[in-house]
């Protein structure tokens, strides 16, 4: 058994059985070893940003890591933006990077670069695996680190000669990866937070991360309702369970102006696996920290803590029963008609979203109304752009579909973002995944037209500046692009067309793409 | 004048007047400032890897840097692979990265990441510009560093508040960037190298970098011919001038087995702005260092040195006249017929390549015969994949076309590589650039099928492994993909079709794409 085989066997023995990859020469022995370990699924991506984003989507839905297999420093670079998003989502990812043979690095060959400095940007755990006999142990440690809590991108760097050399002293049983125990909430914390929510002063619970799943949301909603506190959710949760029968939660607005209104007047803000709210970008003359003056911020549970346990203990302390919590009613919006716009587009989604759907939301400005339109749709999961690095939506949809083959995935995409990692479509087709993509084509980086004014640069900007947000000249044809990648694709210019095309796509196995022509909302 | 305006004015005052960008909110004031400085050309890319590769192609052809404008750490990550290629090419690039406002970084907002650790991978010069009054000086220093020698990727990080704040104490004259003086060759080096080439022992001159331009090649060829030395060129030169009327030079083969034959028996190897030859990857049981045992390696000129001066001095010392050097005859191959294959494809290029063409070569296995087929074509430039990170060819072609609007650019692409940075096509169309792309569609990462055997992994590899190099299932349709990006595109399955389509594209203004269907050669 060589190092590569030892690695893959350790991965599958610890539940890591999906590998998203674009390999090169230095990874050939890992690739060859795929055939010796039938449990490992190898999923080819045509670009590393697809592979890393898919690992993120997989990890969010499976609750355990997939692995990547990337080709040296440049392959890692190509995958970095979506690893950044995965890091911000606290997704468990085993990030495997092939490297030159250990003895080859001294020659500074063409593909040589400093992998570790790049990896450090997304991984606090980095392991160079330099002995074939220790690859299994290194792999188990990497899986442990990735699994958390908190979930994270953990990187294993595998030199080619370690991959191809025989492992002479493989342990009888493959090493076991341990998931760390989450910390229980302390009595002190519990008392302080309980006092805050009972104080009668304006209070909000802010949930994020693992607190956006059904059980946590039920507890949080019950606590909020019993005490008169607001319940808010972070702006871009990695995964939130929502829809009819689940508690409704307001997300903090992307625009700091609106977020400030949501938070105005609070005396207490209780964080539950959420970060204290800050504006996405800095704006001249506006505060970056969105916590109102005089508001005390409490942390009920952080990244290392037992979130469900903390919320259950708080509910207990307050004396509320989450089973009786208010839940969103089942409700479908009326199907709209006429020329398509962003609002109607979201309404059509609300009218059709199937039970158990997974929505990968990178609709950006065009998708603004989608959460509202789907609030009463059957229960579903919603996955957001956690790190702000565009090009996440399609790969995350791909990975979610690999993790959940029995569920329909809807990728709600914007034109500018889709163009970053469009190669995802080819892998969806190859793997026969049930992913419906709606690309909102408004011919612009519409968010930047809005941001231009918000940062106070509008007055100086003229034709040259505005051309930098313009995706016309030439017009992009997403039907042709999707067909070029091997997918069936259609174009919708009216609400009726979108409704028919979406209904058909949702009822058809395998992936398809709908280009929805909408004017910019901003 | 704000920091952004001061920056752009300093750039154009120092000859940096093309900016390849995909900006975001933190770069809005830079974008707005484009309208206040008419000399600066802003070129929008739909992905940062396009922007950085275009800056590389521009720098190779213009001999002076373009700038990039990237959106924070994730934007840099997306552009990293082509900055790696630019670094290996010693291309001057002013790499500008927008960052959050200085006071916003403490909040670790969604897009916050450690830009500097990532930039360090490709830039030995990194400047944080933190005071609006000093942006001009910082920009000039960055241009100086980029310009070299050696040319390099120099990074300027521009926080949003430095960009938008007024510069109160701008100097009367904008600061001047200095290009460093190249070092003259020492008498000792000259005597040692002259003794080696005159020794009568087997000797080779190995040219690379700046020694691949016409004047240097003429001197090197003359020295080699007069002394019986071999003249070799590095495997992947950043830019080599070649064709009829120029001295012919053999490139060192990519395959180490063939390279070893070219270098066998040498007693002296003289490096002229080239690195000592090593194999691209490590292979079990094979040497990485390709210099034969007992061969002495001499450096006539390195990255900091005056390459032309060194070669002229050596020619003088030997007593040869480069004006009388042997040059390649003008010769066109006969136009082939019948079903297309990689050999015929290259022959058609040889038959039609126009004078002054710039070839961006990422044809990989399918382009193997292209240098041979074009050896007697009219004078042209050939740009190679310097760092081995695929996805270079189309962006480099784009940047070269911006730098040289009067010349035809031919992007010789492979299917796998084209898929990395295909968004380049849209920018070619938008800018109306005279770029002809030939995509060699062989439905495979063919080089990996070959490498699988070379690294000794073939025996273990089965169906799952081979699927990782297979680009069928579904088939990619590059005509549809190019049309989706707004370009005219055609498909060639015979040599006659390719000949007609290529002739038509070369005679037509603006970009177009030809999908050439070829079987894999390996």
């Amino acid at each position: 058994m060589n190092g590569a085989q030892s690695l893959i066997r350790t991965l599958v023995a610890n539940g890591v059985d999906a590998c998203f990859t674009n390999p090169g020469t230095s990874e050939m022995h890992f690739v060859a070893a795929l055939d010796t370990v039938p449990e490992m699924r190898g999923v080819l991506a045509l670009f590393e940003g697809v592979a890393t984003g898919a690992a993120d989507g997989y990890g969010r839905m499976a609750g355990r890591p997939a692995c990547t297999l990337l080709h040296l420093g440049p392959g890692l670079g190509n995958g970095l933006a979506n690893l950044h998003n995965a890091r911000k989502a606290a997704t468990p990812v085993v990030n495997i990077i092939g490297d030159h043979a250990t003895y080859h690095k001294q020659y500074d060959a063409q593909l040589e670069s400093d992998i570790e400095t790049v990896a450090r940007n997304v991984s606090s755990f980095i392991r160079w695996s330099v002995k074939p006999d220790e690859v299994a142990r290194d792999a188990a440690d990497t899986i442990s680190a990735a699994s958390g809590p908190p979930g994270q991108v953990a990187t294993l760097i595998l030199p080619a000669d370690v991959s191809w050399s025989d492992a002479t002293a493989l342990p009888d049983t493959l090493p076991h990866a341990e998931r760390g125990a989450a910390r229980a909430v302390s009595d002190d914390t519990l008392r302080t937070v309980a006092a805050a929510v009972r104080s009668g002063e304006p209070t909000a619970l802010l949930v994020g991360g693992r607190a956006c799943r059904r059980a946590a949301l039920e507890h949080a909603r019950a606590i909020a309702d019993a005490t008169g506190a607001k319940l808010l959710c972070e702006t871009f949760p990695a995964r939130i369970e929502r829809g009819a029968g689940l508690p409704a939660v307001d997300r903090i607005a992307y625009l700091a102006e609106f977020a400030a209104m949501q938070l105005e007047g609070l005396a207490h803000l209780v964080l539950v696996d959420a970060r204290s709210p800050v504006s996405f970008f800095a704006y001249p003359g506006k505060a970056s920290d969105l916590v109102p003056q005089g508001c005390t911020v409490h942390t009920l549970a952080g990244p290392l803590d037992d979130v469900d346990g903390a919320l259950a203990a708080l509910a207990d302390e307050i004396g509320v029963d989450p089973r009786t919590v208010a839940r969103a009613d089942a409700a479908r919006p009326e199907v709209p008609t006429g020329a398509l716009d962003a609002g109607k587009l979201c309404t059509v989604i609300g009218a059709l979203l199937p039970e158990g759907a997974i929505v990968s939301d990178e609709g950006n400005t065009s998708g603004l109304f989608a959460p509202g339109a789907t609030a009463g749709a059957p229960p579903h999961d919603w996955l957001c752009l956690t790190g702000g690095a565009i090009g996440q939506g399609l790969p995350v949809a791909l990975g979610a579909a690999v993790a959940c083959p029995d569920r329909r995935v809807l990728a709600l995409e914007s034109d500018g973002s889709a163009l970053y990692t469009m190669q995802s479509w080819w892998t969806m087709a190859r793997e026969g995944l049930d992913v419906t993509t709606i690309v909102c084509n408004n011919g612009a980086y519409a968010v930047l037209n809005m941001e231009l004014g918000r940062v106070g640069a509008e007055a100086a900007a003229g034709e040259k500046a505005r051309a930098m947000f313009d995706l016309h000249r030439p017009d992009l044809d997403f039907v042709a692009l999707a067909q070029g990648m091997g997918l069936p694709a259609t174009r919708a210019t009216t609400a009726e067309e979108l409704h028919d095309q979406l209904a058909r796509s949702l009822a058809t196995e395998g992936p398809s793409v709908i280009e929805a022509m909408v004017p910019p909302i901003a």
Side-chain angles (χ1 to χ4, degrees), chain A residues 1 16 18 39 48 60 89 134 168 221 223 283 295 326 354 371 400 408 415 425 486-487 501 506:
Chain A
M1 188 185 300
V16 181
E39 298 87 344
E48 288 87 353
R60 292 192 200 185
E134 294 174 10
T168 51
R221 179 84 270 166
I223 295 161
Y283 300 95
C295 174
R408 171 61 55 166
D415 44 2
W425 283 334
L487 281 78
Q501 293 171 16
L506 295 173

Side-chain angles (χ1 to χ4, degrees), chain A residues 214 217 240-249 326-331 353-356 371-382:
Chain A
R214 179 187 282 265
L217 291 172
I240 182 164
E241 294 187 73
R242 62 194 299 279
L246 281 103
V249 192
R327 295 158 195 279
D329 291 329
L353 194 70
E355 181 161 356
T374 53
H380 57 273
D381 283 276
W382 203 273

Side-chain angles (χ1 to χ4, degrees), chain A residues 135-430:
Chain A
V135 171
R137 183 69 261 160
D138 291 334
D141 290 348
T142 309
I143 299 166
S144 298
S147 301
Q152 63 176 314
V153 178
T155 293
L156 181 73
I157 303 174
L158 185 69
D161 54 337
V162 177
S163 186
W164 75 52
S165 298
D166 284 340
T168 51
L170 202 73
D172 289 340
T173 54
L174 289 166
H176 185 63
E178 300 279 355
R179 189 181 160 89
R183 288 189 314 206
V185 63
S186 75
D187 290 343
D188 266 9
T189 298
L190 200 58
R191 267 193 303 271
T192 309
V193 172
V197 295
R198 281 171 170 154
S199 65
E201 298 177 311
T203 297
L205 292 176
L206 175 56
V207 296
R210 292 158 296 154
C212 295
R213 309 295 294 279
R214 179 187 282 265
L217 291 172
E218 288 173 352
H219 282 90
R221 179 84 270 166
I223 295 161
D225 289 348
T227 59
K230 272 190 183 176
L231 177 59
L232 295 168
C233 170
E234 59 187 356
T235 308
F236 295 110
R239 174 185 179 187
I240 182 164
E241 294 187 73
R242 62 194 299 279
L246 281 103
V249 192
D250 283 337
R251 278 159 57 183
I252 291 187
Y254 168 76
L255 297 180
E257 303 86 311
F258 295 112
M261 288 194 273
Q262 292 173 294
L263 298 166
E264 198 176 358
L266 287 181
H268 300 281
L269 180 64
V270 178
L271 306 177
V272 192
D273 206 12
R275 315 259 323 283
S276 189
V278 298
S279 74
F280 208 89
F281 292 104
Y283 300 95
K286 291 180 190 154
S288 290
D289 185 350
L290 300 178
V291 177
Q293 285 249 319
C295 174
T296 306
V297 178
H298 311 268
T299 298
L300 174 65
L304 295 167
D305 300 330
D306 175 6
V307 170
D308 284 337
L311 282 165
L314 183 60
D316 231 32
E317 174 78 21
I318 310 275
V320 295
D321 182 351
R323 286 170 300 184
T324 62
V325 74
R327 295 158 195 279
D329 291 329
R332 295 280 203 185
E334 226 172 287
V335 179
T337 58
L340 203 53
D341 61 26
K344 291 182 193 175
L345 182 148
C346 296
T347 306
V348 171
I349 293 171
L352 292 175
L353 194 70
E355 181 161 356
I358 301 163
V359 180
S360 176
D361 179 4
E362 198 174 39
N364 302 345
T365 58
S366 298
L368 196 60
F369 308 111
T374 53
H380 57 273
D381 283 276
W382 203 273
L383 315 181
C384 296
L385 178 54
T386 47
I390 61 171
Q392 173 189 283
L394 294 176
V396 160
L398 158 58
V402 171
C404 303
D406 299 330
R407 299 174 66 175
R408 171 61 55 166
V409 178
L410 173 66
L412 177 56
E413 268 296 329
S414 56
D415 44 2
S417 298
L419 289 161
Y420 267 56
T421 45
M422 201 177 53
Q423 305 94 335
S424 307
W425 283 334
W426 182 82
T427 302
M428 292 177 192
R430 162 172 281 218

